[in-house]
Amino acid sequence: MAYELISGCQAAALAAQRAGVDLVAAYPITPQTAIVETLASFEAQGELKGEFVSVESEYSALSYCNGAVAAGARVFTATSSHGLAYMHEMTQWCSGARFPIVMVNVNRTVGAPWVLDPDQGDSLSQRDTGWMQIYCANAQEVFDITLQAFLLSEELLLPTMVVFDGFYISHTYEPVDVPEMEQAREFIGPPQFQAQVVPGIQANLHGLSTGEAQLQLVRKRHEDMLRAPEIFADINNRFEKVFGRGYMPVEAVIPEGAKTAFLAAGSTAETVRWFLPELESCGLIQLRMFRPFPKDELGRIVEEHGLDRLIIVDRNCSTGTGGYFAQETRAALYGLNERPVVQDLLLAGGIDLTEDILAGAAQKSPGDGFVDLQWGVELR
Amino acid sequence: MKITDYTMENELMYSGHNACPGCGGALAVRYLTRALGPNLALAITASCWSIIAGAPPLTALKCPILHCPFPSAGAVGSGLRRGLNAKGHYDTTVVVLAGDGGTFDIGLQALSGAAQRNEDYIFICYDNEAYMNTGMQTSSATPFGARTTTRPYPLFKHGQKKDIMRIMAAHGIPYAATASLAFPQDMENKLKKAQEMKGFRFMHVLSPCPPGWGTDSSDTIHLSRLAVFTNFFPLYEIINGEQWRMTYHPEKTRTPLKEYLEAQRRFRQVDEVTIEALQEEVDQDWEGLLKRVSTSNAEK
Ligand SMILES: Cc1ncc(C[n+]2csc(CCOP(=O)(O)OP(=O)(O)O)c2C)c(N)n1
Ligand code: SF4
Ligand SMILES: [Mg+2]
């Protein structure tokens, strides 16, 4: 064990370095910048196996990865907010092309106006682009899951977005167990996927297709992605054997007898976990995987504990509907015989999640004037 | 080289592709794959060539083609080059193919970024002077006087064609050249020369488009030649952004621009006064070019 006091951004950069990436193409944006700078400094010190390229835009960063991964290279990029929005055409192209790209997105509000706080709408609004999305709750998860993401992506031939909150995680220094280079490399191994562009082999890659053929591709991509929870669990079993820790797509901490649970993704999960002792008979469901949505796993947790109320912490808002996580949770649990009440706690923009807010949200119950959407700001 | 020296052996392009008859863009790729092949990898951005290449698993070319989104070509080519290097394929020539839209307009940012970083590949712009894939809309490569579906009759394009060669030269890239389908040997020489070099190399090929230009499919070569003879599209190369060199001087073949314009229906609304103004423009551009050539000769 080699604990280092590092930020979430450094943890992400270290994971890409340990993964032995062939190529990093990236563009800076607050609060992701330290990832780019850290990788650049690795290259400067001769500590990066592959090449680091400073490109002229996020669109080009992902396009660059697209070209390199097509040739069979292991690639990495990172972005946030406006950068991710700017990539939108390429995010879809990369999943359609079945490119195993790993990208970190550090959550930040998308303007107008300019806001730096960690609203999750940047990544959540990419939910339909065919990327797997995994939300991390602390810097250790950032390191571990970013490293694992290469295996997940290469197994399923789908891109993975590893997501964590700006500032709360990106800029906070935490002790992180960073495995030695050799140990990490041994775990992850060289790229495990076939190149699409192979010199001398005639291929017309991603050229004009038909709706009929596309239907088959969409179906295949969907069905492949549905295997992600199982493969993620499998990777983590192996990871645990080597490194002594592992993660599940969704995990629960439910005290004996608790019928209410907060559901949170990212740093808010860590915050809820911290306050659990103060919150009378409330539990926590930490959602790591958002795409694919771990519907069955979540349903099992709800049924197993007989939960009758979920309070969803949404640091985001899909205008006109409410929080993304609440929407998805409601849809996922609709088929249960005993459906829990789903309450949405909105922290859109980005205010600190405090004990008062959590206690206030927990107090409101279906019996006493239940509301399905509450603004965190009113509970402070 | 005599015409009889050409054999089909080195052709990397199949017949039966999806281009219109007489498509200059199709011919440009036939020439360039032949000159640069067979160890080639092509990244093709959204353009008529997205269609010409055929519907997979069919293909128009005997080499890997990686299609990519419209604005992305410059960066995809860069990534492809470094990805192939990472896999040890140093000998494969990477070519990016883009239309004028994918070069002059929406692709300019990624192109400029790649050129400035001196990425190691060849960028080919086949310029048919409009967005042809979507049906002939104005691009910044559309010449003054041409009518398009976004400048329909009696309107026509105002404003000059963007001088992409000077933009590329300003990046100081190792090699940039213009090429004409009527001068295949010149084109081949330039491509071979480019292939020998390292770093970012750029070629601008004027590519007549019969349906877009309102010309007969059998006139593509004739028009390509006229474009050179009228000085509308001179043939030259630029080394390191500073050494300008003519590769064809239309001293004896010099033709009035009018002849070139009148051969195309897209210019039919242009009146005599405008033709004269356009001729003046072309003359001025030509003088400017000669000046750059002679200055760089003097500097040598
Ligand atoms: C972002 C984006 N905008 C618009 C389009 C639609 N589109 C496809 S090809 C094209 C025009 C291409 O023009 P050009 O680059 O000159 O190539 P040409 O079709 O003339 O060969 C357009 C507008 C697109 N594919 N992507
Ligand atoms: S529209 Fe023009 S450029 Fe496009 S395929 Fe036809 S001739 Fe070629
Ligand atoms: Mg065009």
Side-chain angles (χ1 to χ4, degrees):
Chain A
M1 292 252 196
Y3 277 95
E4 293 183 32
L5 190 64
I6 55 173
S7 68
C9 279
Q10 287 170 323
L14 279 162
Q17 179 211 36
R18 298 293 201 255
V21 290
D22 295 305
L23 184 109
V24 178
Y27 192 81
I29 179 169
T30 303
Q32 156 269 29
T33 310
I35 302 177
V36 180
E37 291 174 341
T38 306
L39 285 164
S41 75
F42 287 154
E43 194 192 39
Q45 291 150 23
E47 292 170 358
L48 194 68
K49 174 178 165 273
E51 296 184 273
F52 171 86
V53 189
S54 270
V55 288
E56 79 294 336
S57 75
E58 287 88 352
Y59 188 97
S60 282
L62 196 51
S63 303
Y64 214 116
C65 290
N66 172 334
V69 79
R74 184 176 273 168
V75 300
F76 176 80
T77 189
T79 190
S80 171
S81 182
H82 289 258
L84 183 60
Y86 192 37
M87 287 176 176
H88 187 56
E89 182 185 28
M90 287 311 298
T91 53
Q92 297 174 81
W93 188 269
C94 289
S95 67
R98 304 299 301 259
F99 289 144
I101 297 171
V102 174
M103 166 158 71
V104 158
N105 181 68
V106 185
N107 285 133
R108 169 185 155 185
T109 311
V110 181
W114 290 118
V115 183
L116 300 174
D117 296 47
D119 187 286
Q120 299 160 314
D122 55 352
S123 53
L124 291 170
S125 64
Q126 296 284 326
R127 69 178 167 185
D128 304 326
T129 55
W131 286 60
M132 296 182 280
Q133 287 197 7
I134 308 176
Y135 288 73
C136 304
N138 54 50
Q140 185 70 61
E141 288 191 16
V142 170
F143 177 87
D144 295 343
I145 292 174
T146 305
L147 186 70
Q148 296 168 5
F150 290 95
L151 295 179
L152 182 66
S153 273
E154 290 170 13
E155 171 77 27
L156 291 172
L157 293 179
L158 283 170
T160 305
M161 196 183 295
V162 179
V163 186
F164 56 90
D165 312 58
F167 306 105
Y168 293 113
I169 296 181
S170 67
H171 285 58
T172 303
Y173 282 70
E174 298 177 56
V176 176
D177 175 16
V178 180
E180 291 302 328
M181 190 78 82
E182 264 174 44
Q183 199 188 14
R185 288 275 165 87
E186 198 184 307
F187 176 75
I188 184 159
Q192 290 299 324
F193 64 100
Q194 289 208 324
Q196 295 187 13
V197 175
V198 182
I201 298 191
Q202 168 182 307
N204 188 1
L205 298 159
H206 318 303
L208 190 70
S209 192
T210 62
E212 185 79 24
Q214 175 66 354
L215 183 149
Q216 300 302 334
L217 295 176
V218 168
R219 180 173 178 179
K220 179 84 171 74
R221 180 167 49 154
H222 177 66
E223 288 172 357
D224 284 351
M225 196 194 277
L226 291 182
R227 293 171 51 217
E230 178 201 323
I231 290 169
F232 183 73
D234 188 53
I235 292 169
N236 273 284
N237 282 338
R238 285 192 284 131
F239 191 85
E240 190 158 16
K241 284 196 190 108
V242 183
F243 302 106
R245 57 181 178 272
Y247 312 98
M248 298 299 283
V250 49
E251 264 171 40
V253 189
I254 314 284
E256 192 62 41
K259 294 291 163 221
T260 296
F262 285 91
L263 182 147
S267 72
T268 53
E270 198 85 335
T271 310
V272 174
R273 192 188 294 268
W274 177 263
F275 284 123
L276 273 188
E278 330 305 326
L279 299 164
E280 241 169 80
S281 62
C282 283
L284 163 69
I285 299 174
Q286 178 179 350
L287 191 77
R288 287 204 184 83
M289 194 172 275
F290 175 68
R291 275 293 177 274
F293 198 83
K295 176 171 172 272
D296 297 342
E297 291 79 353
L298 182 61
R300 237 176 278 134
I301 288 170
V302 169
E303 283 185 328
E304 192 180 309
H305 296 278
L307 299 172
D308 61 18
R309 184 159 69 118
L310 299 183
I311 303 168
I312 318 296
V313 183
D314 264 311
R315 207 199 305 273
N316 63 78
C317 178
S318 170
T319 308
T321 303
Y324 283 83
F325 289 117
Q327 284 175 49
E328 297 267 343
T329 304
R330 288 190 184 107
L333 302 182
Y334 189 77
L336 296 188
N337 290 331
E338 305 278 333
R339 279 198 295 273
V341 164
V342 176
Q343 258 172 279
D344 197 359
L345 173 58
L346 276 161
L347 307 172
I351 54 170
D352 287 338
L353 181 57
T354 60
E355 186 182 348
D356 284 349
I357 294 177
L358 289 168
Q363 260 169 29
K364 302 263 166 116
S365 68
D368 48 55
F370 164 73
V371 276
D372 75 346
L373 190 153
Q374 302 176 80
W375 292 92
V377 68
E378 286 173 3
L379 300 169
R380 282 201 288 200
Chain B
M1 192 180 211
K2 296 191 299 289
I3 193 76
T4 45
D5 292 341
Y6 275 103
T7 64
M8 297 296 282
E9 268 165 40
N10 306 335
E11 297 281 351
L12 290 196
M13 190 158 156
Y14 292 108
S15 58
H17 54 71
N18 286 341
C20 311
C23 173
L27 199 52
V29 173
R30 183 176 162 199
Y31 287 166
L32 80 90
T33 50
R34 196 192 149 91
L36 300 175
N39 190 1
L40 270 186
L42 234 76
I44 301 184
T45 185
S47 59
C48 271
W49 252 98
S50 313
I51 313 298
I52 299 172
L58 301 181
T59 182
L61 298 175
K62 295 180 196 172
C63 64
I65 301 172
L66 180 65
H67 291 273
C68 54
F70 202 11
S72 71
V76 171
S78 311
L80 184 57
R81 167 77 279 157
R82 297 205 201 203
L84 287 170
N85 288 354
K87 292 287 160 187
H89 301 298
Y90 298 100
D91 297 342
T92 303
T93 299
V94 171
V95 173
V96 165
L97 181 68
D100 46 297
T103 304
F104 290 59
D105 290 338
I106 202 166
L108 188 62
Q109 173 175 307
L111 166 61
S112 171
Q116 189 278 324
R117 290 187 302 270
N118 201 21
E119 299 279 359
D120 187 23
Y121 69 88
I122 304 176
F123 191 111
I124 310 269
C125 170
Y126 74 100
D127 180 7
N128 49 28
E129 305 194 307
Y131 302 148
M132 293 309 180
N133 174 268
T134 38
M136 177 81 184
Q137 294 82 30
T138 303
S139 80
S140 61
T142 306
F144 191 108
R147 120 182 95 73
T148 64
T149 57
T150 44
R151 296 299 289 167
Y153 182 83
L155 304 175
F156 53 84
K157 161 88 181 270
H158 282 267
Q160 286 312 305
K161 181 178 172 109
K162 194 184 274 183
D163 191 341
I164 195 71
M165 291 302 286
R166 281 171 78 189
I167 292 173
M168 296 320 295
H171 285 78
I173 53 174
Y175 191 72
T178 60
S180 164
L181 300 173
F183 295 77
Q185 193 59 57
D186 176 72
M187 180 170 173
E188 185 172 324
N189 292 344
K190 286 169 173 168
L191 287 164
K192 292 238 149 94
K193 187 168 181 175
Q195 194 172 28
E196 304 266 286
M197 297 177 166
K198 283 246 158 244
F200 199 82
R201 293 141 286 165
F202 181 83
M203 178 173 270
H204 182 198
V205 191
L206 186 70
S207 306
C209 163
W213 291 13
T215 54
D216 201 87
S217 54
S218 58
D219 277 346
T220 294
I221 301 301
H222 172 62
L223 282 165
S224 300
R225 192 178 297 119
L226 266 185
V228 176
F229 286 180
T230 55
N231 286 342
F232 176 82
F233 193 84
L235 293 178
Y236 57 98
E237 60 185 8
I238 313 165
I239 315 282
N240 295 327
E242 48 189 30
Q243 273 182 49
W244 296 62
R245 201 177 76 80
M246 304 298 303
T247 58
Y248 181 79
H249 247 292
E251 275 149 6
K252 293 189 195 131
T253 52
R254 183 83 180 264
T255 311
L257 183 68
K258 193 171 182 214
E259 229 175 274
Y260 178 63
L261 301 179
E262 281 179 353
Q264 307 170 50
R265 282 198 297 284
R266 63 176 173 155
F267 290 113
R268 99 187 140 175
Q269 66 289 333
V270 177
D271 59 20
E272 290 296 328
V273 182
T274 314
I275 291 179
E276 257 170 58
L278 283 171
Q279 179 69 62
E280 248 169 66
E281 288 266 354
V282 163
D283 293 344
Q284 264 174 26
D285 287 351
W286 175 250
E287 289 307 318
L289 181 61
L290 289 182
K291 215 175 183 168
R292 284 189 286 281
V293 170
S294 62
T295 321
S296 56
N297 278 344
E299 277 168 4
K300 258 201 306 194

